[in-house]
Amino acid sequence: MNADCIPFNKPYMTGRELLHIAQAHADGHLSGDGVFTKKCHAWLETYTGAHKALLTHSCTAALEMSAILADIQPGDEVIMPSYTFVSTANAFTLRGGVPVFVDIRPDTLCIDETLIEAAITSRTRVIVPVHYAGVACEMDVIMDIAGRYNLLVIEDAAQGIMSDYKGKPLGSIGHMGAYSFHETKNIISGEGGALLINDERFAERAEIIREKGTNRGQFFRGQVDKYTWVDIGSSYLPGEVIAAFLWAQMEEAQDITQRRIHIWQRYHEALATLECAGKLRRPVIPEGCEHNAHMYYVLLESLDKRTEVINQLKSRGVNSVFHYVPLHSAPAGKMFGRTSGELPHTANLSDRLLRLPLWVGLDEAQDLVISELQNALA
Ligand SMILES: *Cc1c(COP(=O)(O)O)cnc(C)c1O
């Protein structure tokens, strides 16, 4: 990569991260659940309306906690899209759960809600909607199915912070929701995540699981007089240095989102002509969905075309990427999961999807990305 390359991602920092980290350092509280963690929890609870928010080391860790809270037993089935990141499935596989992969909608690339009911068996326990690119799954339908079959809904909202579905923040609609603050996401702390507990039945146990299976939280609140091992658990809480960094990002979350939306809109307008000419398809945002501009992707005509475009862009100094290898076709997906029905859209769209650079500060470089893409598709 040469020095003038336009990177695919560049973590944005507000400038206040080090200030807050210096404060944590001065306070001398470096383990978890100090002042900055509490600020982040309060912010998340206010913004989402969740009963309880808990910072974790990653979205992966939040999903692992949710699988324990859902009491997944070996052989229990968890319905999810195949077109998603590994952790969506792995968190449940770790408990002996069986991912059951269903196809995605061709418009949003989110789980096709009309295929969920056919995937339900007597072993089904959970549905995991993944809000791809920060655009909501059809949550009304999914919550209705879950209610009728007595299933839990755990939202993989890794990409969904600051997005809404019919006015409700993503992550706050299911029984639980998981956010990621990985540096490739919108609001970041390097590695980081949060679990939202929307159904208060899970709140007490969530605290215990996050604190190595102890009732430490209750002890510090004076609710119990000794602190001991009461359940399974692990160490899922980040230290205060991470929380201090994250707090700087949360303070500017609105502004960061607006700046991303501005860049997203610019791509969307500039690429309309290529869509009319049949050269690509742009993202679709259904009515009722307010998205957070997590990602700008285009769908090209074929895998060969995508490979050609990536190489051409690269030769012109523009880094573009694709994802995911569908989980049902990955080695571990075949070993630990199964499919429900055919997955034609998953197979087809994952071959044709191309992600363009989208980061706060892209500014004029975006013109180059657009013109190089136009050249590559001319
Ligand atoms: C990024 C991502 C994750 C994992 O997030 P980490 O914080 O890196 O663990 C899980 N699911 C989806 C859909 C993601 O995009």
Side-chain angles (χ1 to χ4, degrees), residues 155-320:
E155 296 176 71
D156 182 338
Q159 304 174 9
I161 197 164
M162 310 302 281
S163 289
D164 284 2
Y165 169 80
K166 299 186 181 173
K168 293 182 204 143
L170 300 191
S172 75
I173 305 164
H175 300 85
M176 297 174 235
Y179 284 147
S180 174
F181 305 121
H182 186 264
E183 74 165 33
T184 53
K185 303 301 203 284
N186 290 19
I187 306 299
I188 62 172
S189 60
E191 303 281 352
L195 180 64
L196 301 182
I197 304 288
N198 305 315
D199 181 332
E200 59 182 289
R201 281 181 299 161
F202 299 107
E204 190 178 321
R205 191 163 185 232
E207 269 188 358
I208 291 169
I209 289 166
R210 180 168 167 271
E211 269 282 17
K212 305 99 183 163
T214 72
N215 55 357
R216 194 158 187 257
Q218 294 164 342
F219 175 72
F220 279 121
R221 284 195 300 269
Q223 292 163 342
V224 291
D225 59 10
K226 57 181 185 300
Y227 138 50
T228 185
W229 185 25
V230 295
D231 199 343
I232 61 165
S234 188
S235 179
Y236 286 118
L237 70 168
E240 278 288 284
V241 171
I242 291 282
F245 189 109
L246 183 60
W247 176 241
Q249 298 265 319
M250 285 182 173
E251 287 180 307
E252 285 197 20
Q254 303 284 356
D255 185 51
I256 292 170
T257 308
Q258 282 317 310
R259 291 170 77 177
R260 294 185 72 98
I261 288 172
H262 183 76
I263 299 165
W264 194 100
Q265 283 296 350
R266 189 136 162 245
Y267 274 134
H268 209 57
E269 281 153 32
L271 299 177
T273 4
L274 284 172
E275 185 174 73
C276 285
K279 301 282 189 187
L280 55 74
R281 206 208 82 191
R282 297 178 301 160
V284 174
I285 312 295
E287 213 172 311
C289 296
E290 288 285 338
H291 74 104
N292 61 1
H294 172 59
M295 197 188 296
Y296 200 89
Y297 67 83
V298 293
L299 292 162
L300 302 176
E301 74 192 24
S302 64
L303 175 60
D304 287 347
K305 191 71 190 177
R306 180 176 75 183
T307 309
E308 182 191 313
V309 170
I310 289 176
N311 290 336
Q312 166 132 9
L313 289 178
K314 181 126 206 161
S315 75
R316 308 289 300 168
V318 175
N319 283 286
S320 59

Side-chain angles (χ1 to χ4, degrees), residues 58-60 63 84-85 87-88 130 156 158-159 180 182 185 192 324:
S58 59
C59 180
T60 302
L63 290 167
T84 182
F85 186 65
S87 298
T88 315
V130 179
D156 182 338
Q159 304 174 9
S180 174
H182 186 264
K185 303 301 203 284
Y324 302 102

Side-chain angles (χ1 to χ4, degrees), residues 53-128:
L54 293 167
L55 293 192
T56 57
H57 292 299
S58 59
C59 180
T60 302
L63 290 167
E64 286 178 20
M65 282 182 64
S66 78
I68 298 173
L69 288 164
D71 200 26
I72 293 296
Q73 300 296 318
D76 285 349
E77 295 180 351
V78 183
I79 296 172
M80 64 181 67
S82 167
Y83 189 69
T84 182
F85 186 65
V86 173
S87 298
T88 315
N90 199 51
F92 296 92
T93 303
L94 273 173
R95 314 300 316 159
V98 178
V100 174
F101 300 116
V102 305
D103 208 3
I104 48 174
R105 292 163 49 135
D107 58 350
T108 58
L109 283 59
C110 285
I111 191 167
D112 184 341
E113 69 282 358
T114 67
L115 301 176
I116 292 174
E117 226 167 322
I120 295 175
T121 71
S122 59
R123 295 306 306 265
T124 308
R125 300 290 318 285
V126 176
I127 305 169
V128 187

